[in-house]
Amino acid sequence: MTAFIDIKPGQWVLAFSEPYGPQMQDMPEHLELFRMRGGGWESHRVEEIFHVYEVTDIKPKPYHPRTYTIGQSVTHPRDYLRERQYRGNVIAVGTKERMIELRDRIFAIGEDADDVIEAEMYRRIEKFAAKKRAAAVRKIHRLLPHHFRSEQ
């Protein structure tokens, strides 16, 4: 089990939204998922996966974020904000600005890596794809010769 990060009231935390947090694995292993776009949740936005909260109280396992004051949390607008959050979902502690910057940098790592991988994949496959598509066109012409001019 991963040790909890030390939190004090008034600090800001970067934490996983509960459904995206490490369920059956340790935090380091879970964070490594962000080597891919969205950490495996490709169509989800950064605000859905990560929350940034100001902490009001800390207990042994949960912490209490300040969710009732506008501006005291940075989350997806339709997220259900609970009074107690599990400390095992906390990634880092710092200022609000630093936690937002860290959140965005973590998320960008996988996006950048996948963008480069996709670009290289398409570059490498370009000649092969052109050959296969040309062969497919020839097959269509042979299958339906009455629609195409004779290739003599």
Side-chain angles (χ1 to χ4, degrees), residues 13-22 27 30-41 44-53 63 73-81 85 88-92 98-111:
V13 297
L14 170 62
F16 281 107
S17 176
E18 196 164 326
Y20 301 96
M27 181 65 80
H30 192 66
L31 287 169
E32 286 176 349
L33 293 175
F34 287 87
R35 68 187 178 275
M36 300 176 293
R37 182 173 282 118
W41 298 282
H44 296 230
R45 297 194 319 231
V46 68
E47 298 88 8
E48 292 175 273
I49 298 171
F50 300 103
H51 290 180
V52 178
Y53 291 125
Y63 67 94
S73 66
V74 181
T75 63
H76 191 267
R78 291 182 299 277
D79 270 340
Y80 174 69
L81 301 177
Q85 297 288 330
N89 288 335
V90 174
I91 300 165
R98 175 77 177 108
M99 295 300 96
I100 293 171
E101 177 190 349
L102 181 60
R103 174 199 71 181
D104 295 343
R105 288 178 65 193
I106 291 169
F107 199 76
I109 290 169
E111 285 193 333

Side-chain angles (χ1 to χ4, degrees), residues 36-142:
M36 300 176 293
R37 182 173 282 118
W41 298 282
E42 195 169 311
S43 63
H44 296 230
R45 297 194 319 231
V46 68
E47 298 88 8
E48 292 175 273
I49 298 171
F50 300 103
H51 290 180
V52 178
Y53 291 125
E54 183 183 16
V55 176
T56 60
D57 191 26
I58 299 95
K59 302 292 182 197
K61 288 190 179 180
Y63 67 94
H64 298 258
R66 188 182 311 269
T67 57
Y68 52 85
T69 307
I70 295 174
Q72 300 311 111
S73 66
V74 181
T75 63
H76 191 267
R78 291 182 299 277
D79 270 340
Y80 174 69
L81 301 177
R82 296 180 19 201
E83 274 189 42
R84 295 172 16 159
Q85 297 288 330
Y86 177 56
R87 284 182 60 191
N89 288 335
V90 174
I91 300 165
V93 175
T95 64
K96 178 181 181 179
E97 294 77 21
R98 175 77 177 108
M99 295 300 96
I100 293 171
E101 177 190 349
L102 181 60
R103 174 199 71 181
D104 295 343
R105 288 178 65 193
I106 291 169
F107 199 76
I109 290 169
E111 285 193 333
D112 294 344
D114 279 358
D115 287 347
V116 170
I117 290 167
E118 274 184 32
E120 182 65 11
M121 178 183 69
Y122 286 119
R123 185 190 70 78
R124 288 179 179 226
I125 202 78
E126 196 171 357
K127 287 181 186 175
F128 175 76
K131 286 180 190 176
K132 285 298 185 183
R133 288 191 178 117
V137 166
R138 286 192 300 276
K139 288 179 182 179
I140 290 170
H141 284 220
R142 280 192 302 257

